[in-house]
Amino acid sequence: MIQLSDHFTYGKLMRYTFPSIVMIIITSIYGMVDGLFVSNFVGKTAFAAVNFILPYVMILGCTGFMFGSGAGALISKTMGEGRHEKANEIFSLVIYSSFGISFLLFAVGNLLLRPVAVALGAEGRLLEDCLLYGRVYLLGVPASLLQYEFQYLFSTAGKPKLGLYVTLAAGICNMVLDGVFVGMLSGGLVGAAAATVLSQCVGGFLPVLYFFRKNNSLLQLKKASFDGKVLVKTCTNGISELLNNISWALIGMLYNVQLLRYAGEDGVAAYGVVMYVCMIFFGVFVGYTVGISPIVGYQYGAQNHQELHSLLKKTLVILGGFSLAMFLCSSVLAEPFSRIFVGYDPVLLAMTVRGFKIYAFSYLFAGYATLGSSFFTALNDGVVSGILSVLRAFFFQSIAVICMPMLWGLDGIWAATIAAEGLACIAVFGFLLAKRKKYHY
């Protein structure tokens, strides 16, 4: 069994992070499966509605990334210091507190659903479909928050494979229920959203049952007293991941507004297809950083500077390989992927394929851009991590998607992410160089 305290070779690093990579990819497939069935069984307007409102409803569950990454960094550092009982107390407090907060998020999400959809430009049939899908999807906020949280904490508990199995079960549940609710029973948007909610319950509540029982992982749920300092530290550690996901969701909304302006509902539908595949490819980068974060946090807590240096060096090499592979795969598979979703509409298909091929160049930078905030979160440096997240996911992206279409129209929208990810890479390497003496990596 691989321990957080081990020396990690390339092979051992890949074995430890592989379950997290697959876990994030499977989670990314949830929305894609909904889109696939909605597009082929309900139509492109309903498909556009799913993609139009999905960034908003996903913001609420993404709070789980903040609690998961923030607590994971604090717990792994605490274990590296040899305080395992305290690590369990932190783990329990964060799970209970975040679950309580999820119901407040559910209420706020429902309250703002229509105003947000209208503000983004949805009207007529598109608006009604957005509200129909969104209201059902929001029922899964408590479960999705826990699911995203445990994606980090399974790795922190030394059980990345178990996290993979739980996520795989949830993914299979989503695919089967989409086939039944949308394909067989003609449940439309309600069926697609219900399938996702039920699968999130599998991914969110099964881990709770596991950690409540005595187990052979590094963590267990137990009684916990309130500790405001721990919660504040968890949130400051993980705020970058929350900001990152909120920023991506906001940028997704901005992209939809721009696409609706330049290409109508077809543009929103085409962007949805590109984003489904993008989430899977980005899942490789995110999954790797999720897997490596507890190792970095543990070695930092143990003050093992040589191992930290080794981890960063190997990570830069691995992410470089992933980036090149993602670019090549996206370039080659652009048309086959697009046909699966929108092959029934030649004009929409052509628009989607072109968007795919331009967007593919962003993967050359995305791996390193993803690393920055996660690496500094693992080092318990929420400030730098937050700065990198906001620069990458909001500042660079928003400027690019607003300005570039003025010069190149629709192609400028597809190319905006390339420019944003390139600038994010420069920022990441700048901070890595600036902080090297402080953290000795």
Side-chain angles (χ1 to χ4, degrees):
M1 179 179 174
I2 300 176
Q3 304 289 333
L4 294 177
S5 56
D6 290 351
H7 168 66
F8 281 81
T9 61
Y10 280 102
K12 186 177 287 187
L13 198 54
M14 287 304 301
R15 289 197 302 275
Y16 192 83
T17 57
F18 180 75
S20 296
I21 293 172
V22 178
M23 181 172 62
I24 299 297
I25 289 174
I26 292 172
T27 304
S28 301
I29 291 174
Y30 286 0
M32 185 185 77
V33 173
D34 277 2
L36 179 63
F37 277 94
V38 169
S39 180
N40 285 282
F41 286 91
V42 188
K44 68 178 183 180
T45 299
F47 179 54
V50 170
N51 298 306
F52 198 80
I53 203 62
L54 196 59
Y56 167 71
V57 295
M58 288 185 68
I59 286 178
L60 304 169
C62 284
T63 308
F65 287 122
M66 177 183 71
F67 285 110
S69 62
L74 185 57
I75 291 167
S76 57
K77 179 176 179 290
T78 304
M79 289 192 295
E81 295 167 346
R83 299 188 293 154
H84 292 276
E85 189 64 26
K86 180 62 176 177
N88 274 317
E89 292 176 7
I90 296 171
F91 172 64
S92 303
L93 174 63
V94 170
I95 295 298
Y96 302 149
S97 301
S98 60
F99 184 63
I101 290 171
S102 69
F103 291 95
L104 176 62
L105 295 173
F106 164 74
V108 173
N110 273 285
L111 184 65
L112 297 178
L113 181 61
R114 176 180 284 273
V116 168
V118 171
L120 292 174
E123 56 185 19
R125 172 69 186 281
L126 181 65
L127 174 61
E128 294 308 311
D129 283 350
C130 285
L131 298 178
L132 186 62
Y133 183 82
R135 284 168 181 154
V136 179
Y137 190 100
L138 286 170
L139 293 172
V141 167
S144 65
L145 188 149
L146 288 174
Q147 182 178 18
Y148 294 147
E149 201 168 347
F150 281 117
Q151 286 177 354
Y152 285 87
L153 295 176
F154 266 119
S155 186
T156 306
K159 291 288 183 179
K161 288 185 179 179
L162 183 57
L164 169 60
Y165 298 149
V166 171
T167 305
L168 184 61
I172 292 173
C173 175
N174 187 46
M175 295 177 198
V176 172
L177 291 179
D178 263 321
V180 174
F181 292 166
V182 183
M184 295 174 60
L185 301 179
S186 301
L189 289 170
V190 172
T196 298
V197 170
L198 291 173
S199 66
Q200 288 170 339
C201 289
V202 173
F205 295 135
L206 278 184
V208 173
L209 296 177
Y210 172 79
F211 284 110
F212 256 128
R213 302 173 58 197
K214 288 185 177 181
N215 59 75
N216 61 353
S217 78
L218 299 176
L219 298 172
Q220 184 175 356
L221 285 170
K222 54 194 301 183
K223 290 183 179 179
S225 57
F226 181 79
D227 188 333
K229 290 183 179 179
V230 165
L231 291 177
V232 169
K233 183 61 176 175
T234 295
C235 293
T236 54
N237 278 349
I239 191 67
S240 63
E241 300 306 313
L242 176 63
L243 290 174
N244 187 48
N245 283 280
I246 289 178
S247 296
W248 278 114
L250 292 174
I251 289 301
M253 296 179 195
L254 182 56
Y255 269 81
N256 282 330
V257 169
Q258 289 287 75
L259 286 161
L260 199 61
R261 176 185 176 188
Y262 282 88
E265 290 182 7
D266 278 5
V268 176
Y271 180 65
V273 178
V274 174
M275 284 300 99
Y276 287 144
V277 178
C278 169
M279 285 192 294
I280 294 174
F281 286 178
F282 271 43
V284 176
F285 303 132
V286 175
Y288 178 84
T289 58
V290 166
I292 198 177
S293 289
I295 307 172
V296 172
Y298 185 96
Q299 298 298 342
Y300 173 59
Q303 293 297 295
N304 191 344
H305 301 144
Q306 184 176 355
E307 185 64 18
L308 270 180
H309 175 76
S310 174
L311 286 169
L312 180 58
K313 181 180 177 181
K314 290 180 173 66
T315 291
L316 293 177
V317 173
I318 290 170
L319 289 178
F322 283 160
S323 296
L324 182 59
M326 295 303 100
F327 166 69
L328 294 175
C329 285
S330 186
S331 300
V332 172
L333 299 176
E335 185 166 351
F337 272 135
S338 300
R339 284 190 179 279
I340 293 173
F341 286 90
V342 294
Y344 54 81
D345 188 319
V347 175
L348 179 55
L349 175 62
M351 181 187 297
T352 305
V353 171
R354 181 168 179 81
F356 242 120
K357 290 184 176 180
I358 296 173
Y359 197 95
F361 286 91
S362 68
Y363 298 126
L364 295 173
F365 309 104
Y368 297 126
T370 303
L371 170 67
S373 63
S374 296
F375 187 74
F376 284 102
T377 296
L379 294 173
N380 286 254
D381 191 336
V383 175
V384 171
S385 183
I387 291 171
L388 287 172
S389 291
V390 172
L391 284 176
R392 178 201 178 195
F394 188 74
F395 187 71
F396 295 147
Q397 287 277 355
S398 59
I399 290 177
V401 76
I402 290 172
C403 295
M404 293 180 68
M406 297 178 184
L407 301 174
W408 297 293
L410 184 58
D411 284 351
I413 298 178
W414 302 126
T417 298
I418 303 172
E421 295 287 50
L423 291 171
C425 277
I426 295 172
V428 167
F429 282 104
F431 273 107
L432 285 174
L433 289 172
K435 296 289 182 176
R436 66 189 186 282
K437 291 183 179 179
K438 179 178 180 179
Y439 295 113
H440 306 286
Y441 45 68

